[in-house]
Amino acid sequence: MAGDDLLASLEAVSERFNFGEYEAKAYLTILEHGQVTASEIADYTDIPQPRVYDTVRSLSDIGLVELQESRPMKVLALDPAEAFDDLQESLDTLVDDLEEQYTQPARGTEAVSLVKSRPTILRYLSEVIDSAQYELMLSLTPELLERFESQLRRQHEEGVAIEILISPAADAPDPDEYDYDDLASTVKARRGVTTPVIAVADGRYSIYATRESLKGDTDRYGVIFDRSELGFLVSMFMNTVLWTTAETVRTDGEDVSFPRRYGTIRRAIADMVDLDGEFYATIEGRDVLTGEELVVEGKVVDASITSSLEEASLVVETDEGRVTVGGQVAALEDIESFEIRIGRDSPPEPAD
C-alpha cells in the first residue's frame, strides 16, 4: 500500500473509533435496551439532554445505530457483529499493510533501562523468563503466574531451576488444586500487596517493576538490568528481603542432578547443604582485589550461609591452595563469583 493510501486508511480507522465519553455511554445504553428515546438515554446516563441528539446522530453517522425520525425520535440498536463487520475487514487489511511497512527495531538493551508502559514491562518479563538457561527467580502476582504459565512450564521441562514467589498469598492458587510441580522447583507466597514484580534469569538479566506500573499507572515504572552489576541488587533484594519473609507453598523434593549451573551462590550452597557426599566446583568470577577475571576449580571443602541469606561463601581446594568464594560484590572472600558449576566426581567444564 502506498504511503498516502496507508495514511488515509489510518485516518479512516481513527475517525471510526472517535468515541467520546458521551458516545460510549449512549452506545452501551442503546445496546442494553435495544430501543430507546433521546429522553430515556438522558435518564439512563448522565448525558445532558441537549447533547443526546448530537450524540446519537454521531453514532448513526458511523453505522452503529439506526434512527427512526418519529415523535419522539427512537434510537434502535444494530447487531454489533454486523455494525463492525466492515471495520473488522478494514482492520485486517490495515494490519497486513502495516506489517509490510514495519521495520523490526534493534532492541539492544542498555545495561540499565527505565520503562513505564505496561505492554513494555510485560514484554521484558517474558524476555527474562525465556532467556533463562539454568536458573530463574520470580516474584509474580497470581494474574502474572497465569499469564506466563506456558512459558514457565516449557522452561521447567527444559531443566531450568525455577523459584516463584506469589503475592498476595491470599490469592495464590491452592496447591491442592493447582499443579505447581509443572512450573517450579520451589514456590512461596507472601502476605499483602506490597511485593514488587521481579524476574531474575541466571543472576544476570533482571527486571524490577512496581505493581502499580502493571495496572497502567504511567507515574510508575519498571527497571531492566541487562548484564549490569546493578542487577545484583535485584537478586539480593529478592533473596534476602522477599524470599525470607514468605511462606513455602510447595517444594518438589526431587533429587538434584549434577553437574549443575548456578547464577547465585545462595542456591548452590542450599543444594549442597541438603545433600550428602563430596562436591567439586568450577567458579567463573574475578579477584576481589585486582579485578582480574579468572576461573578456579577444585573440591568444595566448606560451604556456609547465614539464616538471613545475607552472607554465603564457599571454600574450594585448588591446585594452588584454598580460595574463598563469595557471591556478587563479595569483599571478604578471595573471589567474586559470576557463575558457579557444581559436580559430584570432578570439577565441571567451564563455559566455552
Side-chain angles (χ1 to χ4, degrees):
M1 180 180 286
D4 290 344
D5 292 339
L6 185 57
L7 181 59
S9 296
L10 280 170
E11 290 174 346
V13 170
S14 175
E15 290 176 4
R16 186 68 183 271
F17 275 117
N18 189 24
F19 261 30
E21 180 182 359
Y22 289 163
E23 284 80 7
K25 289 181 177 179
Y27 181 55
L28 292 177
T29 299
I30 296 163
L31 285 180
E32 179 182 357
H33 295 278
Q35 176 180 306
V36 290
T37 64
S39 61
E40 287 174 333
I41 292 175
D43 291 338
Y44 292 139
T45 68
D46 57 1
I47 302 174
Q49 179 82 31
R51 295 292 307 275
V52 171
Y53 289 95
D54 289 341
T55 300
V56 296
R57 291 191 186 282
S58 175
L59 293 174
S60 175
D61 288 343
I62 57 178
L64 297 185
V65 300
E66 178 184 332
L67 300 183
Q68 288 187 350
E69 300 290 350
S70 57
R71 291 184 179 273
M73 182 178 70
K74 296 179 181 178
V75 187
L76 280 63
L78 298 178
D79 186 342
E82 297 178 3
F84 285 96
D85 182 60
D86 63 322
L87 180 61
Q88 182 64 54
E89 293 179 2
S90 298
L91 282 174
D92 290 342
T93 301
L94 177 60
V95 170
D96 290 340
D97 292 330
L98 289 173
E99 285 286 349
E100 294 180 6
Q101 189 87 359
Y102 174 62
T103 299
Q104 176 73 34
R107 298 190 183 275
T109 308
E110 300 296 330
V112 180
S113 303
L114 182 68
V115 294
K116 288 191 174 182
S117 76
R118 182 177 184 273
T120 303
I121 292 172
L122 291 173
R123 177 174 65 80
Y124 274 112
L125 275 170
S126 179
E127 278 190 12
V128 173
I129 291 172
D130 281 343
S131 72
Q133 298 181 32
Y134 49 91
E135 186 176 281
L136 181 61
M137 295 185 64
L138 299 160
S139 169
L140 302 174
T141 63
E143 293 77 18
L144 290 175
L145 178 69
E146 180 181 1
R147 181 187 186 94
F148 297 116
E149 181 178 323
S150 61
Q151 288 175 255
L152 293 172
R153 180 178 291 105
R154 183 172 62 252
Q155 286 289 68
H156 190 58
E157 290 173 352
E158 291 293 324
V160 176
I162 301 176
E163 294 180 334
I164 302 176
L165 185 151
I166 304 172
S167 67
D171 296 336
D174 188 332
D176 292 332
E177 301 175 0
Y178 189 84
D179 195 356
Y180 288 109
D181 289 340
D182 288 345
L183 307 183
S185 54
T186 304
V187 178
K188 288 191 172 187
R190 193 168 188 263
R191 181 173 177 266
V193 296
T194 60
T195 308
V197 172
I198 291 175
V200 183
D202 303 332
R204 298 185 180 186
Y205 187 18
S206 58
I207 177 172
Y208 175 105
T210 61
R211 298 171 76 99
E212 291 79 4
S213 65
L214 290 164
K215 297 176 182 177
D217 188 336
T218 55
D219 292 332
R220 303 298 178 166
Y221 60 88
V223 185
I224 317 300
F225 300 92
D226 188 7
R227 297 183 180 275
S228 166
E229 292 182 4
L230 292 175
F232 160 74
L233 298 176
V234 179
S235 180
M236 177 62 77
F237 177 72
M238 176 77 177
N239 282 321
T240 61
V241 178
L242 302 184
W243 198 252
T244 57
T245 56
E247 297 294 329
T248 300
V249 174
R250 68 155 309 282
T251 184
D252 57 18
E254 297 176 356
D255 292 334
V256 178
S257 60
F258 294 95
R260 195 172 187 85
R261 298 167 68 187
Y262 299 89
T264 55
I265 193 170
R266 175 194 66 81
R267 186 174 178 86
I269 293 176
D271 281 350
M272 286 187 285
V273 168
D274 289 340
L275 301 170
D276 295 325
E278 295 183 344
F279 294 95
Y280 294 81
T282 299
I283 315 292
E284 296 181 42
R286 64 178 174 176
D287 187 298
V288 299
L289 297 180
T290 67
E292 177 189 3
E293 294 194 1
L294 41 72
V295 177
V296 298
E297 56 183 37
K299 182 180 178 180
V300 178
V301 295
D302 190 30
S304 62
I305 187 169
T306 60
S307 58
S308 65
L309 306 183
E310 293 180 356
E311 298 179 22
S313 64
L314 296 173
V315 179
V316 179
E317 186 75 60
T318 72
D319 293 339
E320 289 76 30
R322 292 189 174 186
V323 296
T324 55
V325 179
Q328 289 178 289
V329 301
L332 302 178
E333 294 81 13
D334 301 317
I335 305 295
E336 174 197 23
S337 63
F338 301 150
E339 183 176 308
I340 301 171
R341 294 173 183 250
I342 302 295
R344 276 297 204 176
D345 302 317
S346 62
E349 290 295 322
D352 296 334

